[in-house]
Amino acid sequence: MRRFVLGWKKRGHEKRLRAYIVNYEDDLVICCRGGAEEALAQMRDIMRKLKLTVNETKTRVCKLPEEKFDFLGYTFGRCYSSQTGRTYLGTIPSKKRVSRICEAISSETGRNKTLLDAETVVGTLNRMMIGWANYFCLGPVSKAYRAVERHARKRLRQWLCAKHKVSWPATKQYPEAALH
């Protein structure tokens, strides 16, 4: 990828097309105000010459703000200010990443974990959720945080019910304050 980025700049595509590369390891986005089709063709040409493969299923031209795209776990596109309602280009955690953390929480609170003590399970959940929240701290994230927290509370209650053989939903036995 380093050779690709250097080749992109050396051939003058960055200045000529005003097309800037943002990459992390083998993931990249080319940001430009116009000439996206030409930038895409030039990217494919350089990749071919470097004998690198372009994942065509993940490759597309996206016109912001009408469309959105996912990159490194974030969805980039039109966002709305919660205070003013005005639109701006921004990021939110992608639905796929919210779903993935919820699956991980479900895995850690499964029936196969009922022999573990509560401190161990809660400690594991806290580390997972703190790490996730530290990564996804850009942009308006409160909606995603609420969804993850709601899922974690539900799964922790279910785990406690299974562990202590209490009937579901057990919100009186395990109130929200007790879960925190």
Side-chain angles (χ1 to χ4, degrees):
M1 286 303 296
R2 183 176 185 280
R3 288 177 26 224
F4 166 75
V5 173
L6 290 173
W8 184 263
K9 291 178 181 181
K10 190 172 183 176
R11 289 175 166 222
H13 298 316
E14 185 175 81
K15 287 185 180 176
R16 185 174 54 81
L17 299 172
R18 291 183 29 212
Y20 304 94
I21 295 174
V22 179
N23 77 301
Y24 179 77
E25 293 186 2
D26 64 342
D27 290 332
L28 71 97
V29 172
I30 300 174
C31 304
C32 51
R33 293 205 177 263
E37 294 297 338
E38 185 180 351
L40 181 60
Q42 295 297 332
M43 181 269 301
R44 284 185 175 125
D45 183 54
I46 294 172
M47 290 287 196
R48 184 182 46 75
K49 287 178 180 174
L50 293 172
K51 295 182 175 51
L52 296 173
T53 306
V54 176
N55 184 341
E56 294 298 337
T57 60
K58 294 169 74 174
T59 303
R60 67 185 177 105
V61 172
C62 180
K63 185 174 171 91
L64 292 177
E66 294 84 12
E67 300 175 78
K68 296 180 176 189
F69 69 93
D70 288 353
F71 181 60
L72 301 179
Y74 281 95
T75 297
F76 290 76
R78 181 180 287 147
C79 295
Y80 298 91
S81 169
S82 59
Q83 283 101 19
T84 65
R86 294 179 68 179
T87 63
Y88 63 95
L89 291 180
T91 63
I92 57 172
S94 71
K95 289 179 181 168
K96 184 177 177 181
R97 285 306 190 96
V98 172
S99 177
R100 193 180 294 171
I101 187 69
C102 288
E103 288 171 11
I105 289 167
S106 294
S107 175
E108 290 301 319
T109 55
R111 289 191 176 269
N112 61 334
K113 306 271 184 162
T114 55
L115 295 178
L116 297 173
D117 60 291
E119 290 78 22
T120 302
V121 173
V122 169
T124 301
L125 290 178
N126 281 339
R127 283 189 301 280
M128 286 170 46
M129 291 171 65
I130 287 169
W132 189 87
N134 284 338
Y135 182 80
F136 292 103
C137 61
L138 299 175
V141 295
S142 56
K143 188 176 174 184
Y145 283 4
R146 281 193 302 273
V148 171
E149 185 181 24
R150 193 170 36 251
H151 182 76
R153 280 196 310 265
K154 177 185 172 195
R155 290 298 304 180
L156 191 54
R157 269 196 193 102
Q158 287 175 332
W159 179 82
L160 287 165
C161 287
K163 180 173 181 65
H164 299 294
K165 297 178 182 16
V166 176
S167 63
W168 174 254
T171 50
K172 288 185 175 139
Q173 291 92 330
Y174 307 113
E176 208 169 296
L179 298 177
H180 288 270

